[in-house]
Amino acid sequence: MRPLSKLAAGLLLSASMVTLAQADTIRFWTTEEQPERLAKQQEMAAEFKAKTGHEVEVIPVSESELGTRATAAFAANDLPDVIYHTLQYVLPWAEAGILDIETNDEIVQELGVDTFAPGAIAMAQSDGLTAAVPVDGWTQMVVYRKDLFDEAGLGAPDSFESIKAALDKLHNPPEMYGFVAATKIDENFMSQVLEHVFLANGVSPVDSDGFKPLDPKATGEVLDFYKAIAKASPPGELFWKQSRELYFAGDAAMIIWSPFILDELAGLRDSAPPTINDDPTSRELAAKTDVVTAFSGPSNPDGAAWADVRYFGVTADANTDVAAEFVKFSMDDGYTSTLSIAPEGKFPVRKGTMDEPTKFVEAWSKLPVGVDRKAPLSDLYPAETIDRIVAGLESGNRWGVKEGQLALASKIINSQAINRIVREHIDGEIDTPTAVEKLNEELAKVN
């Protein structure tokens, strides 16, 4: 038996040497550069190495520098193998040749395109292929006092109509404001909220040819709705800070906010405690709160959600096989670890596998969130709320993405012309038809 044992040992040694010979190192750029998040990604790289033998060099890149660095690396034929990047780069990088869109599409197909949120897939389409692999995202939300809605016999605020109906019943200042609308024109928060409201009614300032004049009827509906929620808000220059403070104090029935408020609502962050009672760690407000991600206007009954989605992109200079293997690992066996980097802002865009359709949503809901105290979202909010939070990504959208005009849409948003004119309309300086006309005049100048 000894010769057989030696042979077996020799075969094992040869196999291990082959594995080592085939082991490669790939470079992974990530914009998640905070120390705790970076450490988690390095742990994932170690798990991948233990599983495959391949090394992953995790390289932090500031989000503000990502575009410039990628362009320079592409020109020097020195792109990393995989880049974790924002939605804004998907289609421009696909068009420029920075992304290996065939490989990225193959990864999505292999994992199962139907296991991904449709909105995240739709926003990455290039010539019929999914140009980058959706990783995680979040949707803006209407955060509301479900206890007050229930007492008043109101349905969820999921449309212009239902929100205005709630204002009629719940707006009772100074004890309770119906809403806290964003009105500070030089704050990006107002731009973000307004885009959400325009999307809800199916209004966009761009099409595939560039600027598209706003439809007078649908835009008028948006302007009149926004004026209504602004009139049910406190006076002054309002942005995210006042929205959160008033809601946390129990003085507002509805606000629009990002999901990063969810842990704060439950008293898990000392720097932003709920003040509805004397206990800054209380979960009372979280228990009284529910959310709506997608809502609709009269011209768009299907509604929409404002979504921010992040992607993995295997690049044109990649060690393709190993890069694809790493992305598949990060989106499958390692996907819960991927989401754990910041679970309160990383909603799963892949709900589960073909065999276990809700596997990743269930795992994500049990990941701890919070800063000074930790608890899983499933301990803080009911399953129906968790499902709604994730479902928002199914209809998630942004101006200009599907039309290939995200750059123009971003310039339109950053010009703050929409903010200024909407504020003039809110303040009664111009009527609705004049506001629509002025919007079209101003936005047509942006290029």
Side-chain angles (χ1 to χ4, degrees):
M1 295 294 289
R2 289 178 66 84
L4 184 60
S5 298
K6 285 182 179 179
L7 177 61
L11 288 170
L12 284 170
L13 181 61
S14 298
S16 64
M17 288 177 69
V18 168
T19 300
L20 287 170
Q22 292 176 339
D24 289 313
T25 298
I26 62 169
R27 290 178 299 153
F28 169 50
W29 282 7
T30 175
T31 54
E32 296 287 14
E33 56 182 340
Q34 300 93 326
E36 284 185 15
R37 297 185 184 187
L38 203 56
K40 288 188 178 181
Q41 292 167 97
Q42 286 162 341
E43 287 171 17
M44 288 178 62
E47 290 173 24
F48 180 69
K49 182 183 178 183
K51 182 175 181 178
T52 66
H54 301 302
E55 294 255 12
V56 178
E57 184 184 355
V58 181
I59 303 168
V61 178
S62 173
E63 194 167 302
S64 61
E65 298 175 0
L66 185 60
T68 306
R69 286 190 59 175
T71 302
F74 180 53
N77 295 315
D78 191 33
L79 285 167
D81 300 86
V82 180
I83 305 177
Y84 174 76
H85 58 88
T86 51
L87 170 66
Q88 73 191 80
Y89 293 116
V90 176
L91 297 181
W93 282 359
E95 187 177 336
I98 290 173
L99 296 178
D100 181 347
I101 62 175
E102 288 81 9
T103 296
N104 292 324
D105 185 71
E106 285 171 11
I107 293 169
V108 169
Q109 298 301 328
E110 190 171 328
L111 292 171
V113 67
D114 291 337
T115 66
F116 287 86
I121 293 289
M123 289 192 286
Q125 290 304 293
S126 175
D127 295 327
L129 300 176
T130 306
V133 182
V135 182
D136 60 74
W138 55 270
T139 55
Q140 205 158 238
M141 309 180 305
V142 179
V143 179
Y144 71 100
R145 285 285 300 273
K146 189 172 188 301
D147 60 324
L148 301 182
F149 273 67
D150 288 347
E151 287 170 15
L154 293 162
D158 57 6
S159 67
F160 286 12
E161 183 182 4
S162 58
I163 289 172
K164 287 195 284 188
L167 297 180
D168 290 341
K169 288 203 171 185
L170 300 179
H171 182 57
N172 183 32
E175 289 80 17
M176 179 65 64
Y177 289 97
F179 218 100
V180 187
T183 58
K184 194 171 190 300
I185 61 175
D186 59 351
E187 277 280 340
N188 187 52
F189 182 68
M190 184 175 181
S191 303
Q192 201 166 295
V193 171
L194 276 171
E195 186 180 353
H196 190 177
V197 176
F198 274 87
L199 282 168
N201 205 36
V203 181
S204 172
V206 297
D207 61 16
S208 57
D209 296 322
F211 168 70
K212 177 184 72 172
L214 300 171
D215 175 74
K217 177 179 177 293
T219 305
E221 291 165 350
V222 169
L223 291 167
D224 291 342
F225 169 74
Y226 207 82
K227 186 171 187 174
I229 64 172
K231 292 301 179 188
S233 304
E237 306 278 293
L238 307 173
F239 57 109
W240 59 264
K241 188 171 184 284
Q242 293 89 350
S243 297
R244 185 175 65 185
E245 287 175 351
L246 285 155
Y247 191 83
F248 278 16
D251 296 335
M254 291 174 279
I255 59 172
I256 290 179
W257 238 82
S258 80
F260 294 95
I261 202 170
L262 293 172
D263 60 335
E264 300 168 350
L265 267 173
L268 301 180
R269 188 186 295 249
D270 289 341
S271 62
T275 54
I276 194 169
N277 60 31
D278 294 332
D279 180 5
T281 68
S282 169
R283 296 183 183 178
E284 178 189 342
L285 189 57
K288 292 177 174 179
T289 294
D290 207 344
V291 303
V292 166
T293 50
F295 70 106
S296 63
S299 292
N300 185 37
D302 291 337
W306 187 99
D308 182 39
V309 181
R310 309 294 169 113
Y311 294 80
F312 282 136
V314 174
T315 73
D317 295 341
N319 179 335
T320 307
D321 290 344
V322 178
E325 196 172 355
F326 173 64
V327 172
K328 283 184 279 190
F329 167 78
S330 300
M331 293 302 301
D332 200 41
D333 290 349
Y335 192 39
T336 303
S337 297
T338 299
L339 299 172
S340 75
I341 294 168
E344 67 279 2
K346 289 183 175 293
F347 298 175
V349 295
R350 189 173 186 232
K351 289 186 175 183
T353 64
M354 300 296 280
D355 295 331
E356 298 177 84
T358 60
K359 175 181 178 179
F360 299 127
V361 173
E362 290 170 10
W364 167 78
S365 73
K366 297 182 174 105
L367 292 171
V369 299
V371 175
D372 302 288
R373 286 158 294 284
K374 301 277 187 180
L377 284 172
S378 57
D379 280 5
L380 307 175
Y381 302 98
E384 313 87 74
T385 300
I386 301 284
D387 290 343
R388 269 194 297 280
I389 289 169
V390 176
L393 289 165
E394 295 181 8
S395 60
N397 200 0
R398 292 276 283 282
W399 279 345
V401 176
K402 294 174 185 174
E403 301 87 356
Q405 296 286 349
L406 185 58
L408 175 59
S410 297
K411 287 179 183 177
I412 285 172
I413 293 163
N414 293 338
S415 74
Q416 297 180 338
I418 297 174
N419 296 7
R420 291 196 309 271
I421 295 163
V422 167
R423 183 62 196 258
E424 289 174 18
H425 182 253
I426 288 169
D427 292 342
E429 296 173 13
I430 52 176
D431 63 15
T432 302
T434 304
V436 175
E437 184 180 344
K438 194 169 181 180
L439 280 169
N440 281 327
E441 287 175 2
E442 289 291 316
L443 301 187
K445 298 174 187 175
V446 179
N447 54 52

